[in-house]
Amino acid sequence: MTSAVRHLTEAGFLGKFYIDGEWRKPIGSATAVVINPATEQPIVEVALGNDEDVEYAVAAARQAFAGWSRTPAAGRAALLDRVHGLLLDRLELFAQAITVEMGAAITYARRAQVPLAAEHIRVARDNLATYSFISPRGNTAIMREAIGVCGLITPWNWPLYQITAKVGPALAAGCTVVLKPSELSPLSALLFAEVMDDAGCPPGVFNLVNGTGPVVGTGLASHPQVDMISITGSTRAGVLVAQAAAVTVKRVSQELGGKSPNIILPDADLSRAVPLGVGAAFRNLGQSCSAPTRMLVSRSQMAKVEVLAAAAASELVVGNPLAESTTHGPIANRPQFERIQAMIGVGLEEDAKLVIGGPGRPNDLQVGLYARPTIFSNVRRDMRIAHEEIFGPVLSIIPYDTIDEAVEIANDTVYGLGAHVQGTDIETVRTVAGQIRSGQVHLNYPDWDPNAPFGGYKRSGNGREYGHEGMEEYLETKAVLGFYR
């Protein structure tokens, strides 16, 4: 038992929800077993909510909204500052929780999952110092006001990161929230609720109800007292939430699936572009909606790219996520593991060229949801592995003959969340980036920017997270004519 699991068990949080500033027992008796994907064994049971739990949480958030929305920006920033500090103070506790609940290597949890999550809180805090909630337009005042009570639905793959990406800007905007984390990775969410409590969050401003999508997720989406839903998840889940929300005509912000391209232009430095591209595709073991899992390569360079890609993949260390030497742990859950295995089989059936990896676990791992980092080459754009989201460590190398064709292939997807372009001539790189239909484009592997708006075109969703744009999702626009004389 890790210290994070021991802490949650001893505190009694596993069987409770955080509602109206208190840890409360659920109304019903439903529970879910949290499985450690490295051992495939149960860790703990957590309580699952029902419609009555949702009612209590929404009522608490509604009651708290008037006071919180009128709290000066400096007061909201002060709370976020305390939350940010506590997240960093408890980094190791969060890292251990994330490792056991969804399999991220402990080194990656410490380096990325937790500190990047803390950055969302910092950015939300800092934005309050510069954002104008009222501005003049002639004699009219343009006011930006908190939308109200927000239901936040988060996924299992970046469990803390996705929570802070929503909670931070929502609270900064003056909204109150009810969080429904994934029932598959709820431990870090419970720890986050404890942080909110210890930071002195006013009762009802932040509430947490664990539960399933069909019960708690749908309950929030359809609730007439919830003014907005923000969901990160699969496109299928996003559609269901939007349908449930439509009856009450509430705002729905969706960050959904992706099949992101990585265009390697002919003048790119392949020795840099290809290994970094493999690393980006397999970040979080490919369990990221914006992972660039389609590598587009000039046909004349395919052979060299295959060698470089195989070499990069062979350096990954898949194994016990608590080991310091491990770079990639297991797949987060059994359904996702089986999906990945099935799609690797599809790639073989479609006669794509297997460069490295393949079905099954790595040879030295007999237990655990471990997948082999897999690279296919000579992938045609009509193959399923070229256009279906796999959400795992499977990279497709697709040849192109001209840059125009590369752009066409990049846009030949129902998704539009992220994209990458690599090349030496920066003007060409910029031109290609401007032709790609996606919410973000990364040029020559830049540093992550927590202020860069993130969100999708097409079936990757709508709305934006991060930066000022992320906070504006939680704001309404009011025009007051004649305000200025």
Side-chain angles (χ1 to χ4, degrees):
M1 181 183 294
T2 66
S3 59
V5 174
R6 185 180 304 110
H7 173 80
L8 290 169
T9 302
E10 293 175 353
F13 296 156
L14 296 171
K16 296 179 180 180
F17 305 139
Y18 186 77
I19 299 175
D20 204 17
E22 298 179 349
W23 289 96
R24 298 187 178 188
K25 291 184 178 179
I27 303 300
S29 59
T31 61
V33 176
V34 181
I35 302 295
N36 183 341
T39 63
E40 301 181 71
Q41 296 299 312
I43 311 171
V44 292
E45 283 190 0
V46 295
L48 296 180
N50 60 21
D51 290 342
E52 290 182 81
D53 296 304
V54 172
E55 286 290 342
Y56 277 115
V58 172
R62 176 56 61 190
Q63 178 68 27
F65 173 67
W68 181 247
S69 62
R70 291 195 296 265
T71 300
R76 301 199 298 270
L79 173 63
L80 293 170
D81 183 65
R82 296 192 295 272
V83 172
H84 179 254
L86 288 171
L87 287 174
L88 295 180
D89 289 345
R90 301 175 188 181
L91 186 149
E92 182 62 21
L93 202 64
F94 276 103
Q96 290 186 20
I98 292 168
T99 293
V100 298
E101 71 184 350
M102 60 76 59
I106 188 68
T107 52
Y108 190 71
R110 291 169 181 155
R111 187 181 75 251
Q113 289 266 5
V114 182
L116 297 186
E119 278 292 276
H120 288 309
I121 299 295
R122 181 193 64 78
V123 167
R125 177 200 68 191
D126 292 351
N127 281 342
L128 282 171
T130 60
Y131 191 80
S132 297
F133 288 90
I134 180 171
S135 58
R137 186 177 301 168
N139 291 333
T140 298
I142 307 299
M143 297 181 178
R144 307 304 300 274
E145 300 178 341
I147 193 170
V149 175
C150 300
L152 311 179
I153 301 173
T154 56
W156 48 259
N157 58 322
W158 287 83
L160 180 64
Y161 177 97
Q162 294 291 353
I163 288 172
T164 58
K166 298 182 189 299
V167 171
L171 297 190
C175 296
T176 56
V177 305
V178 180
L179 170 67
K180 189 212 88 68
S182 170
E183 68 276 18
L184 300 177
S185 55
L187 305 183
S188 51
L190 292 168
L191 290 175
F192 182 78
E194 182 183 31
V195 162
M196 294 300 300
D197 189 59
D198 289 348
C201 182
V205 170
F206 170 87
N207 306 274
L208 178 148
V209 179
N210 278 319
T212 64
V215 178
V216 175
T218 299
L220 288 172
S222 61
H223 201 291
Q225 290 298 310
V226 173
D227 302 292
M228 174 182 172
I229 289 288
S230 177
I231 176 174
T232 297
S234 68
T235 299
R236 176 180 175 275
V239 169
L240 292 174
V241 164
Q243 290 173 335
V247 177
T248 50
V249 199
K250 58 172 57 72
R251 184 180 299 175
V252 179
S253 178
Q254 304 162 310
E255 194 262 279
L256 308 176
K259 191 71 174 178
S260 298
N262 185 3
I263 299 178
I264 312 292
L265 294 173
D267 69 343
D269 177 1
L270 297 183
S271 64
R272 178 179 186 272
V274 175
L276 289 177
V278 171
F282 293 164
R283 178 173 58 100
N284 206 38
L285 214 61
Q287 297 169 123
S288 296
C289 44
S290 61
T293 53
R294 292 186 295 148
M295 183 177 286
L296 280 53
V297 177
S298 175
R299 193 178 302 276
S300 64
Q301 297 174 323
M302 288 287 286
K304 185 175 182 180
V305 168
E306 290 171 4
V307 171
L308 290 168
S314 67
E315 293 179 1
L316 305 180
V317 180
V318 178
N320 177 7
L322 289 171
E324 297 288 334
S325 60
T326 296
T327 62
H328 293 70
I331 300 303
N333 54 73
R334 167 63 65 173
Q336 191 55 37
F337 175 80
E338 293 177 352
R339 161 73 176 171
I340 292 164
Q341 296 301 317
M343 290 304 293
I344 291 174
V346 166
L348 295 172
E349 292 170 3
E350 292 179 323
D351 204 28
K353 179 181 179 180
L354 182 63
V355 175
I356 194 171
R361 298 183 178 90
N363 293 334
D364 58 338
L365 297 170
Q366 304 305 314
V367 176
L369 303 177
Y370 295 98
R372 302 169 68 189
T374 298
I375 298 175
F376 287 105
S377 187
N378 292 335
V379 175
R380 301 187 311 273
R381 58 198 290 187
D382 63 334
M383 291 181 176
R384 288 180 60 191
I385 60 171
H387 61 81
E388 291 188 22
E389 185 178 38
I390 300 173
F391 220 65
V394 182
L395 173 65
S396 295
I397 301 177
I398 304 172
Y400 66 82
D401 292 305
T402 67
I403 294 177
D404 286 344
E405 184 188 14
V407 172
E408 182 183 338
I409 295 171
N411 289 329
D412 186 16
T413 173
V414 298
Y415 300 111
L417 189 57
H420 291 244
V421 183
Q422 323 304 327
T424 301
D425 180 15
I426 191 61
E427 290 306 318
T428 301
V429 170
R430 290 168 177 162
T431 297
V432 170
Q435 296 172 337
I436 296 176
R437 300 282 294 171
S438 68
Q440 272 196 355
V441 185
H442 295 228
L443 309 184
N444 292 319
Y445 305 114
D447 292 336
W448 178 68
D449 181 358
N451 276 297
F454 180 72
Y457 287 24
K458 299 183 280 187
R459 295 187 193 176
S460 287
N462 58 72
R464 292 296 180 266
E465 294 186 317
Y466 315 168
H468 281 175
E469 291 81 1
M471 185 170 68
E472 287 174 339
E473 290 293 323
Y474 298 93
L475 296 171
E476 288 280 22
T477 301
K478 176 189 288 183
V480 182
L481 286 73
F483 187 90
Y484 298 102
R485 293 294 185 182

